[in-house]
Amino acid sequence: MYRYGKRALLLTVLMGLILLCGGCGLGSAESLLLLPKVPSEYMQLQEQLSRILETGASYAVAEAGSNRQPVQLVDIDGDGIDEAMAFFQREDGSYEVHAFRQQNEQYVPIGAAEGFGSTLRAIYYPACGSGGQLALALCWGFDQNGAYGITVYGFEEDGLRMLLDMQYADVLIEDLDGNGAAELIFAVWDAATGLYSARGYQLQNGQYRQIFETALCLEIRSVIGMAAGRLSGHKTAIFIDSAATMGGYVTDMICWDGQTAVNRTIDPTSGSGSGTWRGAAAACRDMNGDGLPEIPVSHAFERETSEAEARYRLDWVNYGERRETDVVERTFYVPGEHWYLVWPGAWGDDVRAEKSRTSYAEQTNFYVEDAEGREILLSIRVFNSDKREISANLARRFHILADNANGIYCDTVPEYVENNSYQLTEEMVEAAFHPIETNWRTEEY
């Protein structure tokens, strides 16, 4: 814990030096006395970085991911001493990464590598084994629709060596077999056929080699997220969520046992994945805490009605290794408002939902209807987060379920319902209501 805290402090000091040397100086000589004492090796590193900047380069930062600093301290070789990685963009638009290691209280250049994407999309450090060694993965954005590139480098005594270079639609970096080395799983688009496949790579004898490729469903328009989970029998499941060509969303679940990869959600005859289709923009997630994501599937009621709100009815399904399915949870899932409600079992398909909007709140009414009229069983309001003060005052009139950056969530439960089997209590609503945390990697969700 101490080593990581020290790393963060030193990186903060180093970034401060970068800003100061870049012209963002302090206003007076006295204020310089407030700076912490900086180890000489960091000053010497800054001198080397300044010489690179003097050639016309500028610091580069990644568009996404957690590794977005232009200078990063990372223990690449697992010896407990951080190496320094510095990212630059040249005047011609190309990118460079320069690596340095500590030696005799100085930072010595390891080597440099180039990249030619139009943008630096993300930076990853895939684990290369149980000894703590890491590789460097640079993800590039291109001008092509939905196509990205990745270049993976290993670190050797004489410099950086390319281990893999390819294009992809999405990538998952995960240790699937638990041996300490991360596999690279790609969703890949074939320009000739217009179809997608899942392709896995594993580090073998110092090089990433392909270990499997399996077709994804025909309906994919664009891949928007990937995740992994552990099945029984030492198998791994890879979940690939995609926007569908016919609208809505589908999921491919790839089972891998270390030797063979099989798509469990695709129809083996037609190649369709329509069995996982849903209208709501919901990604796979672990709904019951078993460590394995469930697949959201449109509830049967949606396919039988034209009601717009029916698309929020989702069944969360566990797909077994032999394609058997088990519904783990049923929900009313509203990703646009960042909340969902576990569907009360007593409601069945008798209860409907209707949404409306005011200047300050989104409202969803759950009701039953017969020949005598409509009876509201539950109302949920989401007060706008961009009008926080007004929303907070209005929300005080109701029972508050949650208050976070996405809004203030309130409910109203009638004291009396004619058919008491549909009746909910405040305690039941509190247990069934859940905010949806924003998935920053795939912000479409």
Side-chain angles (χ1 to χ4, degrees):
M1 187 71 174
Y2 168 76
R3 182 164 67 89
Y4 290 109
K6 181 180 178 182
R7 175 186 298 174
L9 174 61
L10 291 176
L11 183 57
T12 301
V13 171
L14 181 59
M15 291 307 299
L17 286 173
I18 289 172
L19 291 175
L20 288 172
C21 293
C24 300
L26 298 178
S28 65
E30 290 79 9
S31 61
L32 290 174
L33 300 176
L34 301 177
L35 287 174
K37 185 177 180 180
V38 181
S40 59
E41 61 263 30
Y42 288 96
M43 295 296 293
Q44 182 260 348
L45 173 61
Q46 178 56 49
E47 291 175 2
Q48 297 188 69
L49 300 180
S50 295
R51 286 196 290 270
I52 298 173
L53 293 171
E54 289 170 359
T55 66
S58 59
Y59 285 115
V61 295
E63 294 179 325
S66 58
N67 301 309
R68 301 182 65 178
Q69 304 89 349
V71 181
Q72 300 173 19
L73 302 180
V74 185
D75 183 6
I76 293 295
D77 52 16
D79 64 354
I81 301 174
D82 287 333
E83 283 68 45
M85 311 297 299
F87 302 89
F88 300 91
Q89 187 171 22
R90 292 290 183 181
E91 291 180 313
D92 63 359
S94 63
Y95 289 87
E96 280 187 353
V97 54
H98 290 254
F100 304 84
R101 69 162 55 94
Q102 291 191 56
Q103 183 176 312
N104 298 325
E105 297 186 351
Q106 288 189 337
Y107 272 96
V108 177
I110 300 174
E114 289 186 311
F116 298 95
S118 58
T119 61
L120 177 56
R121 181 169 175 80
I123 300 167
Y124 300 104
Y125 296 96
C128 296
S130 57
Q133 299 88 351
L134 304 176
L136 171 66
L138 303 176
C139 299
W140 310 106
F142 295 120
D143 293 332
Q144 304 172 20
N145 292 331
Y148 306 106
I150 187 170
T151 311
V152 185
Y153 293 96
F155 296 86
E156 300 183 351
E157 288 297 324
D158 56 351
L160 279 68
R161 181 170 67 89
M162 185 184 296
L163 306 180
L164 182 68
D165 185 53
M166 63 177 294
Q167 290 192 13
Y168 67 94
D170 204 350
V171 61
L172 174 68
I173 300 177
E174 191 90 18
D175 180 5
L176 300 181
D177 54 14
N179 69 349
E183 281 71 36
L184 309 181
I185 313 300
F186 299 96
V188 180
W189 181 65
D190 187 324
T193 64
L195 301 178
Y196 287 81
S197 64
R199 191 182 298 172
Y201 288 80
Q202 192 175 65
L203 191 62
Q204 299 176 357
N205 300 320
Q207 196 74 31
Y208 279 100
R209 304 187 186 279
Q210 184 175 322
I211 53 175
F212 70 78
E213 183 169 15
T214 186
L216 301 181
C217 68
L218 299 173
E219 290 86 355
I220 295 177
R221 177 169 57 85
S222 61
V223 177
I224 55 179
M226 301 176 67
R230 183 73 63 185
L231 294 172
S232 60
H234 305 289
K235 290 187 178 181
T236 297
I238 301 156
F239 299 83
I240 303 177
D241 294 311
S242 303
T245 53
M246 67 284 199
Y249 301 83
V250 290
T251 297
D252 289 277
M253 188 183 88
I254 312 298
C255 293
W256 183 61
D257 61 3
Q259 301 293 327
T260 305
V262 178
N263 191 332
R264 295 297 184 190
T265 56
I266 196 174
D267 186 290
T269 302
S270 67
S272 172
S274 60
T276 66
W277 183 87
R278 64 272 186 187
C284 294
R285 62 185 294 155
D286 183 5
M287 298 295 289
N288 60 355
D290 65 354
L292 184 68
E294 278 75 44
I295 298 176
V297 176
S298 175
H299 185 66
F301 175 66
E302 178 179 354
R303 303 175 187 265
E304 301 169 359
T305 179
S306 60
E307 295 179 20
E309 282 74 15
R311 69 181 181 275
Y312 299 116
R313 290 283 305 276
L314 296 178
D315 294 341
W316 296 82
V317 177
N318 181 4
Y319 273 77
E321 297 181 30
R322 291 177 295 276
R323 302 182 191 275
E324 71 274 15
T325 60
D326 177 36
V327 177
V328 172
E329 198 76 89
R330 290 188 165 93
T331 64
F332 189 83
Y333 195 91
V334 193
E337 298 171 15
H338 304 282
W339 65 274
Y340 71 90
L341 184 80
V342 176
W343 195 260
W347 282 6
D349 290 335
D350 298 334
V351 177
R352 302 287 188 267
E354 184 178 62
K355 299 184 67 63
S356 60
R357 177 183 300 177
T358 68
S359 301
Y360 302 105
E362 306 282 345
Q363 180 166 322
T364 303
N365 289 330
F366 298 92
Y367 66 92
V368 289
E369 192 168 23
D370 56 25
E372 297 181 358
R374 174 180 299 185
E375 184 176 25
I376 294 178
L377 308 175
L378 170 67
S379 295
I380 292 180
R381 297 172 180 82
V382 184
F383 290 93
N384 300 333
S385 58
D386 58 344
K387 299 177 181 178
R388 197 74 187 181
E389 185 174 349
I390 298 175
S391 295
N393 290 331
L394 291 171
R396 291 191 184 98
R397 305 176 187 175
F398 308 99
H399 175 250
I400 296 178
L401 292 166
D403 185 350
N404 57 39
N406 294 315
I408 304 173
Y409 300 83
C410 304
D411 72 306
T412 302
V413 180
E415 295 182 2
Y416 170 79
V417 171
E418 184 173 347
N419 186 339
N420 59 15
S421 64
Y422 298 137
Q423 178 78 55
L424 299 178
T425 64
E426 287 288 4
E427 291 74 18
M428 294 169 66
V429 176
E430 288 177 356
F433 178 87
H434 300 272
I436 300 174
E437 295 182 5
T438 301
N439 186 338
W440 295 111
R441 182 172 176 271
T442 54
E443 293 183 354
E444 294 88 346
Y445 288 162

